[in-house]
Amino acid sequence: VYLLFQALRQISQRTISTASRRQIENRVPEHQKLFQEDNGLPVHLKGGAKDALLYRATMVLTTFGTIYAIYHLVVSSMPKKQK
């Protein structure tokens, strides 16, 4: 049991110490320059084609969902037909 505990402790220390050695490149200045550039685009589209695609997909889903909800509200407000 003691050996198992020692092994687990050693593994946990090893993973923590190796994670802190990796340096991640700071890309914040690049993104600041991109988003602060005055190119006439709204901020939610400055990320490129991926942002434009996500924006359009969100608008389509929102429009479809609104129409779908209104349709069901209208249908549920109508009285049921008697047989």
Side-chain angles (χ1 to χ4, degrees), residues 10-67:
Q10 187 178 12
I11 290 171
S12 68
Q13 286 177 346
R14 191 175 298 152
T15 56
I16 291 171
S17 66
T18 57
S20 64
R21 287 183 196 160
R22 295 180 190 157
Q23 293 295 322
I24 297 173
E25 181 185 351
N26 184 9
R27 294 178 40 192
V28 172
E30 295 173 27
H31 290 293
Q32 283 177 335
K33 189 180 285 187
L34 172 72
F35 284 101
Q36 290 175 355
E37 183 180 323
D38 188 18
N39 56 3
L41 288 174
V43 72
H44 60 275
L45 296 176
K46 286 191 176 188
K50 186 172 138 183
D51 280 351
L53 181 67
L54 287 171
Y55 174 74
R56 288 188 182 116
T58 302
M59 288 300 109
V60 167
L61 287 172
T62 303
T63 305
F64 175 74
T66 303
I67 292 170

Side-chain angles (χ1 to χ4, degrees), residues 63-76:
T63 305
F64 175 74
T66 303
I67 292 170
Y68 187 73
I70 291 171
Y71 169 77
H72 277 284
L73 283 171
V74 169
V75 168
S76 64

